[in-house]
C-alpha cells in the first residue's frame, strides 16, 4: 500500500481547531493492521485449519505480517479456534486480560461462535466465546477453510483501518 | 473377539489378583449408566502382552451405592481411569490413594455422565419428529 497517497484520504480537521491528528491515526492503523501478531490459542480441530494450515507455507499468514506468538503479552490478536469448555473459560479470560491494548479477538468456527455441535445437551461447552470476552470478527464454518480465516483477517484489517486513537 | 466375564463387586479384588498372572495389562476401564435397570456397569478390558489374549470384565454396581474396591494395587494403570469414572459417574473406589476429579474443575457439582444429570447451563435438544 502506498502510505503517502493513503494519508491524504484520512486528512480531516478537528472542528474549531487547527490540529490535524487523523494522519497519525493513518500511520498507527497502517502499522497495526499489517503486523497482527496472533496468539496460539488452538483448542480443538479448528486449530488445524485456522492456525496450523493457515500459518504454514501454503496459505502463509506471514505475507500479512502475521507471526504467531506463544505469549499473550506479545500478541495483538487472539484466534479462538475451537470449543471453549467451562474449565478453560477462566483461563481464556485471564489470557485475554494479559494481552496489551489494542487487542482483537477472532472467533473461529461454530464452536467458538455459539457452541456449535455442543450447543445442546452439553455440560461443559461454553455457548459462545462472546459470553466471556468481546469478539471483533466471527468466521463461521466447521471448520472454516483457511481462505475463510484469511477473509476474516482482512475484515479485521479493514476494521482496524477505520479506528482512531482518540476513540480507542 | 474377546471373552466376557461378569463378576460380583465384592469379589473383584480377589478375582483380579488371580487374573493378573495371565492378564498383565489394563488398557482401559470405563462405566455405563443404566437408570432403567438401576445399575452402573463397570467395564474393564484386560490384555496379556505375552499372548495378546483379551478379557472383558464386567461388574454391576447398584446406582444408589456405587462403591467398589480400587484395582491400583493390581494394575497401577487403573489410577487415572478410576479417577475419571469417579469424576463422570461418581463411583467411589475404596482404597484409591488420590480420588479427586481429574477432568472437571474441582468445585463441580454432580456427575455429568449419569443419564439423569442436569445443569442450569445445559440446553435440552428440542425433539423433532
Ligand atoms: S467448529 Fe467444528 S472444526 Fe471447529 S472446533 Fe468446533 S467441531 Fe471442531
Amino acid at each position: 500500500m502506498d502510505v503517502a497517497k493513503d494519508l491524504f484520504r484520512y486528512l480531516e480537521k478537528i472542528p474549531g481547531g487547527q490540529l490535524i491528528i487523523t494522519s497519525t491515526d493513518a500511520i498507527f492503523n497502517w502499522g497495526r493492521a499489517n503486523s497482527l501478531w496472533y496468539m496460539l490459542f488452538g483448542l480443538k480441530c479448528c486449530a488445524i485449519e485456522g492456525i496450523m494450515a493457515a500459518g504454514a507455507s501454503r496459505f502463509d499468514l506471514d505475507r500479512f505480517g502475521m507471526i504467531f506468538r506463544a505469549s499473550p503479552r506479545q500478541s495483538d490478536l487472539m484466534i479462538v479456534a475451537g470449543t471453549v469448555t467451562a474449565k478453560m473459560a477462566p483461563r481464556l479470560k485471564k489470557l485475554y486480560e494479559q494481552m496489551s491494548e489494542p487487542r482483537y479477538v477472532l472467533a473461529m468456527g461454530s464452536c467458538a461462535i455459539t457452541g456449535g455441535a455442543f450447543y445442546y445437551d452439553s455440560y461443559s461447552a461454553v455457548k459462545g466465546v462472546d459470553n466471556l470476552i468481546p469478539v471483533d470478527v466471527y468466521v463461521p464454518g466447521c471448520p472454516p477453510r483457511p481462505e475463510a480465516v484469511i477473509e476474516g483477517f482482512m475484515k479485521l484489517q479493514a476494521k482496524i483501518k477505520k479506528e482512531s486513537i482518540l476513540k480507542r | 473377539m474377546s471373552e466376557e466375564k461378569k463378576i460380583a463387586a465384592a469379589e473383584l479384588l480377589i478375582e483380579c489378583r488371580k487374573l493378573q498372572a495371565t492378564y498383565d495389562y489394563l488398557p482401559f476401564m470405563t462405566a455405563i449408566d443404566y437408570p432403567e435397570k438401576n445399575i452402573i456397569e463397570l467395564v474393564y478390558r484386560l490384555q496379556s502382552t505375552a499372548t495378546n489374549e483379551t478379557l472383558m470384565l464386567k461388574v454391576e454396581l447398584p446406582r444408589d451405592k456405587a462403591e467398589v474396591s480400587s484395582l491400583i494395587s493390581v494394575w497401577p494403570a487403573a489410577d487415572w481411569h478410576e479417577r475419571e469414572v469417579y469424576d463422570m459417574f461418581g463411583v467411589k473406589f475404596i482404597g484409591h490413594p488420590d480420588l479427586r476429579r481429574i477432568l472437571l474443575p474441582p468445585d463441580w457439582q454432580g456427575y455429568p455422565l449419569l443419564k439423569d444429570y442436569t445443569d442450569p447451563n445445559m440446553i435440552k435438544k428440542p425433539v423433532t419428529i
Side-chain angles (χ1 to χ4, degrees):
Chain A
M1 186 177 56
D2 191 357
V3 203
K5 221 195 274 167
D6 230 47
L7 282 183
F8 236 47
R9 282 199 291 131
Y10 289 96
L11 282 180
E12 205 180 273
K13 273 188 182 173
I14 293 184
Q18 291 299 313
L19 263 178
I20 299 166
I21 59 128
T22 38
S23 53
T24 330
D25 270 356
I27 291 182
F28 268 95
N29 289 345
W30 174 74
R32 278 174 187 168
N34 291 300
S35 68
L36 275 174
W37 290 4
Y38 60 101
M39 186 166 76
L40 293 172
F41 207 76
L43 295 169
K44 240 182 93 200
C45 11
C46 268
I48 313 241
E49 297 279 313
I51 294 178
M52 296 173 211
S57 50
R58 187 179 176 107
F59 294 97
D60 197 14
L61 289 183
D62 278 9
R63 66 204 155 105
F64 297 95
M66 300 182 67
I67 311 169
F68 62 80
R69 310 304 298 173
S71 157
R73 292 168 201 277
Q74 298 171 353
S75 38
D76 312 298
L77 168 67
M78 181 195 257
I79 308 173
V80 184
T83 327
V84 185
T85 57
K87 198 176 182 181
M88 195 65 186
R91 287 139 178 100
L92 181 126
K93 249 184 169 160
K94 189 172 228 168
L95 287 171
Y96 177 74
E97 280 156 10
Q98 287 180 354
M99 288 166 68
S100 51
E101 288 277 3
R103 55 194 169 187
Y104 306 95
V105 177
L106 184 138
M108 181 189 168
S110 38
C111 280
I113 297 173
T114 64
F118 311 99
Y119 185 75
Y120 292 123
D121 293 336
S122 167
Y123 57 89
S124 64
V126 173
K127 280 126 199 121
V129 68
D130 45 7
N131 290 329
L132 305 167
I133 53 176
V135 176
D136 293 281
V137 181
Y138 298 85
V139 181
C142 179
R145 286 188 57 88
E147 289 96 323
V149 184
I150 289 170
E151 169 83 12
F153 294 146
M154 287 157 78
K155 284 263 179 333
L156 182 61
Q157 286 183 336
K159 181 178 175 175
I160 293 171
K161 282 181 186 153
K162 281 196 220 105
E163 270 174 1
S164 166
I165 44 170
L166 278 184
K167 281 184 214 129
R168 189 100 195 164
Chain B
M1 274 310 288
S2 64
E3 268 182 83
E4 212 179 291
K5 193 171 171 184
K6 273 207 169 135
I7 39 179
E11 292 154 23
L12 181 71
L13 194 57
I14 305 161
E15 196 67 27
C16 283
R17 289 233 165 92
K18 285 183 213 154
L19 285 170
Q20 191 193 14
T22 345
Y23 303 99
D24 51 348
Y25 177 39
L26 176 81
F28 77 84
M29 71 153 295
T30 185
I32 309 162
D33 180 26
Y34 293 107
E36 66 281 3
K37 286 191 255 170
N38 206 22
I39 55 165
I40 291 176
E41 187 181 66
L42 299 184
V43 183
Y44 295 83
R45 188 182 162 87
L46 310 179
Q47 192 175 341
S48 151
T49 50
T51 61
N52 249 350
E53 271 176 79
T54 55
L55 176 70
M56 203 72 100
L57 210 62
K58 295 192 173 174
V59 183
E60 287 179 0
L61 305 175
R63 239 167 147 260
D64 41 348
K65 196 175 175 293
E67 285 182 358
V68 74
S69 42
S70 163
L71 292 185
I72 291 196
S73 56
V74 188
W75 296 284
D79 186 343
W80 282 11
H81 291 292
E82 285 179 352
R83 274 177 69 187
E84 188 182 344
V85 170
Y86 165 70
D87 198 356
M88 296 293 169
F89 295 90
V91 177
K92 302 257 177 329
F93 289 92
I94 298 156
H96 193 293
D98 184 27
L99 201 61
R100 288 178 292 134
R101 289 196 179 269
I102 186 169
L103 295 170
L104 295 172
D107 56 350
W108 195 274
Q109 298 293 319
Y111 303 102
L113 286 196
L114 294 178
K115 296 274 197 294
D116 53 6
Y117 176 84
T118 48
D119 189 310
N121 295 329
M122 240 160 111
I123 301 172
K124 267 261 155 290
K125 184 165 190 167
V127 184
T128 48
I129 310 163

